[in-house]
Amino acid sequence: MRTKNIDAAIAVFKQNTDDFPKSGNVWDSLAEGYMLKGNKQLAIEYYEKSYELDPSNVNALALIKKLKGE
């Protein structure tokens, strides 16, 4: 994502979620990719998945609230 190739980053993050489905971190990365791409709905969905797997991820919770306009 540093090179602004968000689509390629999302593809890698999707593969990571297949490879490591119980890792909150990989779902957080996928959510970030979709957020940067402007897909708010998928960003929320994947931040929620990240937070479900890792309730200590307060950043995900804050971003969920922000994206929902709370």
Side-chain angles (χ1 to χ4, degrees):
M1 286 195 307
R2 289 182 202 161
T3 63
K4 304 297 180 200
N5 194 345
I6 296 170
D7 291 329
I10 287 172
V12 171
F13 296 148
K14 281 183 181 179
Q15 183 61 52
N16 283 344
T17 63
D18 289 340
D19 294 342
F20 307 100
K22 294 184 181 190
S23 169
N25 188 48
V26 299
W27 291 100
D28 187 88
S29 296
L30 182 58
E32 183 181 1
Y34 278 114
M35 184 177 67
L36 292 173
K37 190 164 175 70
N39 190 328
K40 188 186 293 188
Q41 187 58 42
L42 283 178
I44 291 168
E45 179 181 336
Y46 296 134
Y47 276 127
E48 287 175 339
K49 178 73 173 175
S50 174
Y51 185 70
E52 175 187 323
L53 291 169
D54 180 8
S56 69
N57 185 353
V58 294
N59 182 59
L61 183 58
L63 288 167
I64 292 165
K65 290 179 179 181
K66 179 180 177 182
L67 290 166
K68 287 183 173 182
E70 297 176 5

